[in-house]
Amino acid sequence: MGDAHVLRYGQKVRLATRSAYVEDGASELGIGYYEKNGRHGILSCVPPLGPKLQQLFTEDEFLVLHPSDQRARGEQVQYGEPLVLVNQHGLAWNNKTGGITGYVGPRPRGVPGEMFVCFTKVPAGVGVTKSSKKDKGEKLDKLTSSASTSVLSASGSLSMSESPETEAGPVSFGDSNVAITVLESNRHSQMFNKRLSNFKKPTSHIAGGYICCDGKGTELRFTIWPAKPRIEQISMLNKLITPYNYGQRIALPLGLLESTAKRTNTATNCGNASAKKAVASSGIQQAEIFFQLSDGAEAVLPGAMLQQKMLAHAKPPGLNGDEPESVFELPLRNGPGVLVVRLTGVAPRKMMGKLAAKNRKNPSAPRIKTGMAIFYRVSDLLRLVPVPIFALFYAVLTHHLWGALNTMEDGLRRELVVLVLVMLPAFYVAVKVDHPFSALFQPPVFEPEVDDTDYSSATASGTLKLIVNEYRFVPGAQNGSNANGSVSRPGLAQESKSAGGSTPAHSVTALEATGSVPMRFILAEKGDETKALERYNETTEWRSEEGVDHLLEEPSPHFKIIKENYPHYYHKRGKNGEPVYYEKPGKINLKALKSAGLTLDDLMHNYLMITEFLWQVIEQDDNRKGISVLDVDGIGISDFAGEAVEYVRKAASVSGKHYPERCAYIFVINVPSWFSMIWNTVKGMVDDVTREKVIIVRGKKKIFEALSERIPAENIPVEYGGLSDGKSPEEDLLFNLMAYTNNDEGAPATNPIEEILKKKPIKH
């Protein structure tokens, strides 16, 4: 199981178990508390409570903390380590329950009886422990010791056994057969320092029984489940639902359904087979529905699946009025579990006709926004200007503005003049010369559609609605991936060959021989495994040619001078364990770097080295993502030209091509007032998924508020309003590594990441 499933401090868990008082074969349920506040206070219990009392049960979600805060949020939780489990109301387990002994209930933090516990991994095959005496009111500290407890064997018979040895290592979501041991009960007596157990008296009305800490009853064994994430938003075409509540019905926009049907119909009219596939795929991608969860995980309902479901909902309601219904699961992209989705209702008749290729109409032209209409108009006018005329005009303009620059003081006005001088010829060339992106400067061409559908009919407009029933945790490797996050599919390597059985033109890599593609590459290619294979082969070849796999083992002589003149660093982790990277492009001193003899290639070498350090050392799980914080304080419009931009362009190109699906969020902070003008211009060219990850803020208070939504305050640097000062452990390790590889004075005698390098897998 990969590190993505490892439980970390600061994360929330649910604890699932089976009651000893319900019939065998019952499924595991999350424990919680009985809301009836009697003379003993609210008590923790094991569901089910029974038909009459079930409405008084609330399942708990526990925040995992260290009792003395010796473990920072984001660090892995180990078996045997002390914990305090705090529920959704800020209450912790407590053994002072008012007149009854040994029971457990949620109480405020820091009061006598608060329990510090640990997770105890019991080896497979070891049965649960039952108390050796019936509860008759005796003092529980007189119970027999755990060395003489009765153990229920796998066959169900009782036998005497010594306390079983326990396993060590990190706690992971999906771990089962886990006991919870009370390490400290904050009482004078140690009688409550036992494993949690399940007990109820014969007269109790609670079907599943209570949770006890004094050993009476049957020892509880838990499965570690993640907390149920909230769905923060659902985006489909131009519709955004935020927040979303499980069970809420969503009417699918007609435009979303049309985008699939129209493109499918257009593809049918294409003569070329590859063109058919390309056009149809484009329409299907437009119809994708994206789900963003509170824990950073994502799910996608692909357009192809939506199209299949629509066809299944083409039938009208039955005689009794029942509408078609289908239930299916969507795996989470970067988290354990699935979303259980239900589609109900009848699909629009018009859409069904198009999907069945019975209607040969062309799509109707969408309304172009005013801003884009002006953009296209200016592009058309510039395209008509001959090159000599533009050159003469630009020469006159440059002469006039260049003279004005000498009298201008630094400020926004000067920056705008520089922007005009730089961007005007670039824009002219972009609209004048044919290139792969020429279509961006031309309005889309559509033919009018003749619509003869009767929308007054209920079946014409449709009643299709989407409902997310629940989040369901699925233990084990996510999305069918193997240990390193790759997806293996028999025959994938063979598919890369042509129909005649010949091998492709490029050299065959080990990847093509095994047919194993990392999940990140498949997600980046929208599920197209053939394209993902080609892209991954390109990455492995690039890594081999550039020697990327060995960058951390080679000297980086320019490391210190780049650090001094280019502020960038790793600093702890986000709330979901993401590594966090900070960079200040506005503070880069290119003049000093060039004076030291450094070139653009040296900067790129440093960028690749720190990127490999991130994904080989700091975060070794191939499915994890990182958070980037770009502090653009001090950057000017004139900085958007020259070598600085060329470096950023190259770095972004390498990252996007060879490190796909590695970004969770990008915070752009301390932006100047004119930045929004540039962002509004370029954001339309950025895909929706990436655009939603970019968060732009200015102002110290707003910056801290934005960062603290994703990063714990104790992990945010002081300069951004957080509580963390000084270097981070990540940077300390990086500096030690560089001192070792560069053979600096006072360097460590051994490679600080030697053990990591020995066991590292093939990276990509």
Side-chain angles (χ1 to χ4, degrees):
M1 186 176 294
D3 283 354
H5 292 78
V6 172
L7 174 63
R8 300 174 185 272
Y9 287 97
Q11 289 185 324
K12 292 183 178 181
V13 298
R14 292 179 293 151
L15 300 174
T17 189
R18 293 183 179 87
S19 170
Y21 299 95
V22 298
E23 66 279 1
D24 293 338
S27 59
E28 290 185 319
L29 299 172
I31 63 172
Y33 60 87
Y34 175 39
E35 291 186 13
K36 185 177 180 181
N37 194 354
R39 60 192 180 95
H40 305 300
I42 294 176
L43 298 177
S44 298
C45 58
V46 179
L49 272 63
K52 294 183 179 180
L53 299 178
Q54 191 62 35
Q55 72 274 11
L56 297 177
F57 172 77
T58 298
E59 183 182 355
D60 274 323
E61 290 186 351
F62 299 97
L63 179 66
V64 181
L65 301 175
H66 192 277
S68 57
D69 295 327
Q70 293 181 10
R71 299 290 189 186
R73 290 174 182 253
E75 290 190 45
Q76 294 182 353
V77 176
Q78 302 288 327
Y79 281 108
E81 286 185 342
L83 312 167
V84 59
L85 300 177
V86 182
N87 75 1
Q88 61 272 23
H89 305 299
L91 306 177
W93 277 335
N94 195 295
N95 53 60
K96 294 198 73 172
T97 50
I100 53 175
T101 305
Y103 289 77
V104 173
R107 301 291 186 270
R109 295 286 314 276
V111 300
E114 180 180 12
M115 301 196 309
F116 302 153
V117 301
C118 73
F119 291 123
T120 304
K121 179 64 172 173
V122 182
V126 177
V128 296
T129 303
K130 288 188 175 182
S131 60
S132 59
K133 293 185 179 182
K134 295 182 179 179
D135 180 32
K136 295 183 179 180
E138 297 97 341
K139 290 291 184 180
L140 292 172
D141 52 352
K142 294 182 180 179
L143 286 176
T144 54
S145 66
S146 59
S148 61
T149 55
S150 300
V151 176
L152 184 63
S153 66
S155 63
S157 60
L158 289 171
S159 61
M160 304 303 293
S161 171
E162 295 291 322
S163 296
E165 294 184 359
T166 58
E167 298 179 2
V171 182
S172 296
F173 292 116
D175 282 359
S176 58
N177 211 35
V178 176
I180 296 181
T181 306
V182 180
L183 298 178
E184 175 57 61
S185 56
N186 284 296
R187 300 285 290 273
H188 294 297
S189 172
Q190 300 297 309
M191 60 188 290
F192 303 119
N193 291 18
K194 294 183 173 63
R195 291 182 181 177
L196 296 187
S197 58
N198 184 203
F199 173 78
K200 77 167 186 174
K201 295 180 179 180
T203 57
S204 174
H205 298 294
I206 302 294
Y210 293 96
I211 297 176
C212 295
C213 59
D214 58 358
K216 63 172 171 279
T218 303
E219 183 179 302
L220 286 169
R221 297 287 173 81
F222 297 92
T223 298
I224 310 296
W225 286 357
K228 289 182 180 178
R230 302 181 309 278
I231 298 180
E232 290 192 339
Q233 69 177 33
I234 300 176
S235 56
M236 52 180 86
L237 204 61
N238 59 349
K239 185 174 183 179
L240 189 68
I241 297 98
T242 179
Y244 173 85
N245 298 318
Y246 288 102
Q248 178 182 342
R249 290 173 175 261
I250 303 173
L252 295 181
L254 198 62
L256 177 76
L257 308 180
E258 285 180 335
S259 65
T260 298
K262 288 179 180 178
R263 291 302 183 96
T264 304
N265 182 57
T266 304
T268 306
N269 294 331
C270 292
N272 184 282
S274 60
K276 288 182 181 180
K277 183 177 180 181
V279 175
S281 298
S282 174
I284 288 171
Q285 288 176 12
Q286 281 191 358
E288 288 180 335
I289 301 177
F290 294 89
F291 303 82
Q292 181 70 49
L293 277 65
S294 58
D295 61 356
E298 301 170 344
V300 177
L301 173 55
M305 179 183 290
L306 179 60
Q307 179 177 323
Q308 293 174 353
K309 301 301 178 184
M310 286 169 59
L311 289 171
H313 285 253
K315 298 178 181 179
L319 296 177
N320 56 357
D322 293 338
E323 294 183 330
E325 183 174 287
S326 55
V327 179
F328 50 96
E329 296 180 349
L330 298 178
L332 299 187
R333 280 184 167 182
N334 52 337
V338 297
L339 292 181
V340 180
V341 179
R342 179 159 54 101
L343 204 60
T344 181
V346 180
R349 188 177 62 194
K350 176 185 176 184
M351 301 301 102
M352 295 304 98
K354 290 184 177 181
L355 287 175
K358 295 178 181 178
N359 190 339
R360 302 300 187 195
K361 302 169 189 173
N362 292 316
S364 57
R367 182 173 178 269
I368 300 176
K369 294 182 179 180
T370 304
M372 293 304 298
I374 296 174
F375 173 79
Y376 292 137
R377 181 59 178 164
V378 172
S379 300
D380 290 340
L381 292 175
L382 270 179
R383 200 175 290 113
L384 297 175
V385 177
V387 174
I389 299 298
F390 178 82
L392 179 61
F393 166 75
Y394 184 69
V396 174
L397 181 66
T398 303
H399 176 75
H400 174 73
L401 293 180
W402 199 261
L405 276 176
N406 295 327
T407 61
M408 288 184 185
E409 296 181 357
D410 290 340
L412 179 60
R413 187 178 178 186
R414 181 184 177 90
E415 298 287 357
L416 289 174
V417 171
V418 174
L419 178 65
V420 171
L421 291 175
V422 173
M423 296 299 294
L424 184 59
F427 186 69
Y428 177 73
V429 172
V431 300
K432 191 74 174 176
V433 179
D434 288 333
H435 51 81
F437 303 101
S438 295
L440 293 175
F441 301 93
Q442 299 175 357
V445 179
F446 289 92
E447 295 182 9
E449 176 184 0
V450 179
D451 190 351
D452 57 0
T453 304
D454 179 14
Y455 280 97
S456 62
S457 167
T459 56
S461 58
T463 59
L464 205 58
K465 289 182 173 59
L466 181 138
I467 305 157
V468 183
N469 284 352
E470 62 174 330
Y471 162 82
R472 183 177 297 163
F473 173 61
V474 180
Q478 64 190 63
N479 299 339
S481 59
N482 57 28
N484 69 346
S486 304
V487 170
S488 300
R489 182 167 66 86
L492 184 60
Q494 286 76 4
E495 288 183 13
S496 64
K497 299 181 180 181
S498 63
S502 60
T503 57
H506 64 275
S507 59
V508 178
T509 66
L511 170 66
E512 290 176 311
T514 61
S516 179
V517 183
M519 175 58 70
R520 295 186 293 106
F521 285 78
I522 295 176
L523 293 175
E525 293 297 339
K526 308 293 185 183
D528 190 325
E529 295 183 3
T530 302
K531 288 185 178 179
L533 175 64
E534 294 174 357
R535 182 170 177 176
Y536 186 41
N537 281 334
E538 291 176 3
T539 293
T540 53
E541 291 174 1
W542 167 78
R543 293 182 69 88
S544 176
E545 292 171 0
E546 300 294 331
V548 178
D549 286 325
H550 305 289
L551 282 178
L552 298 181
E553 304 169 50
E554 299 172 351
S556 296
H558 305 302
F559 172 74
K560 286 186 177 179
I561 191 168
I562 292 176
K563 275 286 188 182
E564 292 169 359
N565 294 282
Y566 175 26
H568 60 284
Y569 56 92
Y570 296 107
H571 196 86
K572 302 185 178 179
R573 292 182 180 262
K575 289 186 175 180
N576 292 311
E578 312 98 327
V580 186
Y581 172 70
Y582 295 83
E583 184 175 352
K584 299 180 179 181
K587 304 297 183 183
I588 185 172
N589 190 345
L590 280 176
K591 185 176 180 180
L593 293 173
K594 292 178 70 174
S595 299
L598 271 68
T599 64
L600 190 60
D601 289 340
D602 295 322
L603 289 178
M604 283 303 301
H605 177 276
N606 182 79
Y607 170 77
L608 289 177
M609 184 274 294
I610 63 172
T611 303
E612 287 299 303
F613 180 77
L614 170 61
W615 300 122
Q616 289 196 42
V617 179
I618 298 178
E619 183 53 75
Q620 300 170 45
D621 185 350
D622 196 59
N623 292 318
R624 300 284 288 186
K625 296 184 179 183
I627 296 175
S628 295
V629 181
L630 302 182
D631 184 349
V632 296
D633 182 37
I635 200 168
I637 294 179
S638 56
D639 293 318
F640 280 81
E643 292 181 331
V645 169
E646 179 65 13
Y647 164 70
V648 172
R649 186 191 66 79
K650 279 194 171 185
S653 175
V654 168
S655 177
K657 188 174 183 179
H658 300 301
Y659 299 91
E661 294 294 319
R662 282 300 203 181
C663 173
Y665 300 99
I666 302 174
F667 291 91
V668 185
I669 63 175
N670 286 322
V671 295
S673 57
W674 49 262
F675 187 85
S676 58
M677 175 182 65
I678 293 181
W679 174 244
N680 289 333
T681 302
V682 303
K683 71 178 181 180
M685 303 178 187
V686 181
D687 66 272
D688 293 341
V689 177
T690 302
R691 188 165 63 240
E692 290 175 2
K693 296 176 181 178
V694 178
I695 303 167
I696 301 174
V697 287
R698 60 183 302 186
K700 189 171 183 179
K701 182 179 179 181
K702 290 184 178 179
I703 288 173
F704 174 72
E705 290 175 352
L707 293 179
S708 60
E709 286 185 6
R710 302 295 175 187
I711 308 170
E714 59 267 27
N715 288 358
I716 299 175
V718 172
E719 64 177 312
Y720 300 123
L723 304 175
S724 180
D725 55 0
K727 280 187 178 180
S728 66
E730 296 87 354
E731 285 293 300
D732 289 339
L733 180 58
L734 177 59
F735 271 82
N736 285 336
L737 173 63
M738 291 296 100
Y740 174 82
T741 57
N742 293 330
N743 199 23
D744 293 342
E745 184 178 351
T750 59
N751 190 334
I753 63 169
E754 183 175 359
E755 293 302 317
I756 296 175
L757 295 176
K758 284 181 180 178
K759 63 182 182 180
K760 72 176 183 180
I762 297 175
K763 299 300 293 182
H764 34 72

